[in-house]
Amino acid sequence: MDGEEERGYWRWSKKDFFPEESFQSFTTYRAALSQTCSRFKNRLVSRSDDENERVELRKQSEHEMKRCLTWWDLVWFGFGSVIGAGIFVLTGQEAREQAGPAIVLSYVVSGFSAMLSVFCYTEFSVEVPVAGGSFAYLRIELGDFAAFITAGNILLESVVGTAAVGRAWTSYFATLLNRNPDDLRVKTGVFSPGFNLLDPIAVVVIVSSATLASISTRKTSLLNWIASGVNTIVILFVIIAGFLHAETSNLTPFLPYGPEGVFRAAAVVYFAYTGFDSIATMAEETKNPSRDIPIGLLGSMSIITVIYCLMALSLSMMQKYTDIDPNAAYSVAFQSVGMKWGKYLVALGALKGMTTVLLVGALGQARYVTHIARTHMIPPLFALVHPKTGTPINANLLVTIPSALIALFSGLDVLASLLSISTLFIFTMIPLALLVRRYYVREVTPRAHLLKLIICILLVVTSSMGTSAYWGMKLNGSWIGYTVTVPLWFLGTLGIVFFVPQQRAPKVWGVPLVPWIPCLSIATNIFLMGSLEAQAFVRFGVCTLVMLLYYFLFGLHATFDMAHQQIVPRS
């Protein structure tokens, strides 16, 4: 370790990228490829454990991250990571086209689904307080392969999501200057539509946020407090001013598009809640994880859910749903009640929200990457923590550079369509892993109980997929299919309750009503996935194929060598 400290943080030799035995020469790499099947079988059945994730893998970073965060920091990080442009953009769009005044119910439904995921994340982050978040949790319970597929989606979501928020930041900044959203972009005829509006402002904002996150976690937290505080004031203004100009007659008819419209809108506005998983990645820097993380995660998401419902209700009462502008809902609504200056305040609030989303996102994404690199699934150079700042600068660069390049060229509509399915896939895997954690312990659980658990989980997953598929068929209000799929989900969950004894109890904080909450989380996430267009699944399939190509050519062999300590020492 001392020798490596003397080398300094910035180094770029081959052994820093590929220190594993498999990559030392063409001969060793060819030998590794010839063992792909046996190595894959080994990694498929192998599991990590809490001790390895919390203690051993952290040594790969050479320096510790600084424990400087409290529950107060995490609550504000929750606000900063979640409340962005989504609530300002999606509410009007879905109220006008899908749900009407019942958009408030859509936020209740999506908030409920998000809270189920938050519960599952919270138990894991308390039990395994490491920077890897969902990647580490899945490595422990479902193994390397499931963790890798999730890790690939995490990185995809991080890069594309950062680019999308950067582009949206430019649009709102132009609005604040009373200009059209594209006025601050540079049009070029070299590229095709969707890629021909260059956005240098988005690049500057993304790079600036990443730089701040790399300098100091504590200073980033202080800046997040300030920005989130300003955003909260704007949101309170929107809610109070909205109710002061409310007309209850605008709530009639309350369900113009029926219950189906409420759920279709819920699948879209759900993404206004995403971002909370970044908090779980900060467990390694939290002073008292067992106390601070539950307060930070559950506290912030509960308050955010109430805020979103109140904002949706105030909009619906200010304007008739048919008059809501789908592109600038709150701005137009304030103009309609004689508060034209309100649109500037709304733009400022959205701008502040997106700034904190980028800031907190830069923190969380770098910590995901750090832990993934600790396992050697990507080059271990990205696991290094800087000795002075106590932050993973290399990991931050790995996300920031491609995000900035994509934001420079790609339109917001192109980027937004890539995000949804990755997010829901990750949120479906976590409750699945929680069920395995509670009901299965290696070399302890009898084989008969394991078989029962597998059957029950398969019943829960397949019935949830059946419900989602039946919903997607849009059979003009027919409920016959649900009379089969919903009872099957209930029987699968009930089977776990009565036939599979719990093998492990949480040490400090646990999800209540297990297995009901994890199974309900699986069902709601799969249901929302079924509301997505077919192209989303095509993109997901293509991205997954690219991930698998990398895994079988590099990631598999690096993690195999890491697990068997076939690492060439750095000199």
Side-chain angles (χ1 to χ4, degrees), residues 168-326:
W169 199 99
T170 303
S171 297
Y172 269 91
F173 185 58
T175 303
L176 194 61
L177 298 178
N178 205 26
R179 302 177 69 174
N180 292 324
D182 287 334
D183 282 355
L184 299 181
R185 297 189 173 107
V186 180
K187 189 171 184 178
T188 175
V190 178
F191 304 104
S192 60
F195 303 92
N196 61 340
L197 290 174
L198 305 185
D199 196 336
I201 293 177
V203 174
V204 172
V205 172
I206 289 170
V207 171
S208 299
S209 300
T211 302
L212 287 169
S214 296
I215 291 172
S216 167
T217 301
R218 186 61 190 163
K219 290 177 181 177
T220 303
S221 177
L222 291 172
L223 186 60
N224 178 64
W225 284 6
I226 297 170
S228 296
V230 172
N231 198 27
T232 302
I233 293 171
V234 174
I235 288 170
L236 289 175
F237 164 79
V238 170
I239 294 172
I240 295 170
F243 283 121
L244 288 176
H245 294 86
E247 294 288 343
T248 55
S249 60
N250 289 332
L251 295 177
T252 306
F254 188 66
L255 286 165
Y257 300 101
E260 294 86 355
V262 172
F263 287 106
R264 281 196 298 269
V268 176
V269 302
Y270 177 83
F271 305 108
Y273 288 96
T274 58
F276 64 82
D277 49 326
S278 294
I279 302 174
T281 67
M282 297 176 197
E284 206 169 299
E285 295 158 276
T286 303
K287 292 180 179 179
N288 188 350
S290 60
R291 181 200 65 187
D292 296 341
I293 291 175
I295 296 174
L297 264 172
L298 297 173
S300 61
M301 286 302 295
S302 299
I303 297 170
I304 288 167
T305 301
V306 173
I307 287 174
Y308 278 2
C309 292
L310 290 175
M311 288 185 71
L313 185 59
S314 69
L315 177 65
S316 298
M317 294 179 74
M318 267 199 294
Q319 269 193 310
K320 194 78 174 176
Y321 77 93
T322 51
D323 297 328
I324 292 175
D325 189 304

Side-chain angles (χ1 to χ4, degrees), residues 78-99:
F79 275 76
S81 64
V82 175
I83 301 180
I87 181 65
F88 293 101
V89 175
L90 297 177
T91 309
Q93 171 187 306
E94 296 307 304
R96 172 72 178 265
E97 300 172 0
Q98 300 287 358

Side-chain angles (χ1 to χ4, degrees), residues 133-162:
S134 52
F135 172 74
Y137 313 151
L138 294 179
R139 256 177 59 88
I140 293 170
E141 303 304 335
L142 301 181
D144 262 12
F145 186 66
F148 170 78
I149 296 298
T150 305
N153 279 281
I154 289 169
L155 292 177
L156 176 67
E157 181 189 22
S158 298
V159 171
V160 176
T162 299

Side-chain angles (χ1 to χ4, degrees), residues 49-55 58 67 119-131 133 136-137 140-141 280 283-284 288-291 293-294 297 433-434 437-438 441 503-511:
D49 56 54
D50 294 15
E51 185 72 11
N52 184 52
E53 299 295 315
R54 288 190 297 108
V55 181
R58 285 168 66 171
R67 289 193 178 274
F119 271 110
C120 298
Y121 263 92
T122 302
E123 178 171 330
F124 269 119
S125 56
V126 170
E127 295 276 304
V128 191
V130 296
Y137 313 151
I140 293 170
E141 303 304 335
E284 206 169 299
N288 188 350
S290 60
R291 181 200 65 187
I293 291 175
L297 264 172
L434 183 64
R437 183 174 183 82
R438 287 289 195 96
V441 176
Q503 298 291 321
R504 189 194 329 245
K507 298 173 185 177
V508 181
W509 190 94
V511 176

